[in-house]
């Protein structure tokens, strides 16, 4: 499982002209799931996202988690994180989980974030989405469960 975490001042997801999720500040998570991922990967990354210290303390050091600082999550399923472009010019997505396996794990990940005490907004699984964000910092971190 891969998560691209972007600290954001504001973010939203729009599908067919309708906003499906929006946050004022927090993290935008682009979530990729491979066919090997399990509930253990979900739990590991949900805990990591909730406790990662990416917010500044009084001394300007990244020393506070989103739970301490406050903020929300905008979670967007993104199978293209498992795109392999080593050969040729068209990426291969064979390591990305099939939708019937990926969607329940993405939903479980979002629920695990909620169980960590976070407010979670989402895009729509499998939809063509317009994602808008103001990246704060910019702070962008790649997290992997393997």
């Amino acid at each position: 499982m891969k998560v691209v975490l972007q600290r954001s001042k504001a973010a939203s997801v729009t599908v067919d002209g309708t906003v499906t999720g929006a946050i004022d500040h927090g993290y935008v998570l682009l979530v990729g799931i491979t066919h090997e991922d399990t509930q253990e990967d979900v739990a590991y990354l949900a805990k990591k996202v909730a406790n990662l210290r990416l917010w500044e303390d009084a001394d300007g050091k990244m020393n506070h988690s989103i739970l301490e600082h406050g903020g929300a999550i905008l979670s967007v399923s993104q199978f293209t994180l498992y795109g392999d472009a080593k050969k040729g010019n068209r990426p291969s997505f064979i390591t990305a989980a099939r939708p019937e396996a990926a969607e329940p794990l993405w939903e479980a990940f979002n629920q695990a974030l909620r169980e960590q005490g976070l407010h979670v907004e989402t895009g729509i699984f499998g939809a063509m989405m317009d994602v808008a964000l103001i990246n704060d910092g910019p702070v962008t971190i790649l997290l992997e469960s393997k």
Side-chain angles (χ1 to χ4, degrees):
M1 194 168 169
K2 293 181 185 180
V3 173
V4 175
L5 179 156
Q6 296 178 297
R7 195 174 73 179
S8 176
K9 291 183 179 181
S12 65
V13 174
T14 304
V15 177
D16 294 328
T18 301
V19 174
T20 65
I23 62 171
D24 288 329
H25 71 282
Y27 298 152
V28 174
L29 305 179
L30 305 177
V31 182
I33 298 169
T34 188
H35 59 275
E36 298 174 355
D37 290 333
T38 66
Q39 291 293 332
E40 288 179 2
D41 298 286
V42 164
Y44 170 79
L45 282 177
K47 185 175 179 180
K48 180 64 77 176
V49 166
N51 292 292
L52 201 58
R53 297 184 305 174
L54 296 177
W55 299 94
E56 288 82 8
D57 62 15
D59 296 325
K61 295 186 187 228
M62 289 185 183
N63 209 21
H64 293 293
S65 71
I66 192 169
L67 294 171
E68 297 165 317
H69 177 78
I73 301 289
L74 180 58
S75 176
V76 179
S77 176
Q78 179 115 18
F79 78 94
T80 60
L81 290 178
Y82 280 99
D84 182 354
K86 289 178 187 160
K87 293 170 69 175
N89 294 315
R90 182 183 305 155
S92 169
F93 299 103
I94 60 171
T95 58
R98 303 272 315 146
E100 57 273 11
E103 186 173 12
L105 284 174
W106 178 64
E107 294 290 353
F109 176 66
N110 295 332
Q111 184 57 37
L113 290 168
R114 290 180 183 105
E115 290 169 4
Q116 291 286 327
L118 296 164
H119 175 79
V120 179
E121 297 275 323
T122 68
I124 296 177
F125 186 91
M128 289 296 294
M129 295 175 271
D130 295 327
V131 180
L133 78 135
I134 300 171
N135 195 314
D136 182 13
V139 174
T140 302
I141 304 287
L142 176 61
L143 302 171
E144 295 185 77
S145 61
K146 302 287 188 225

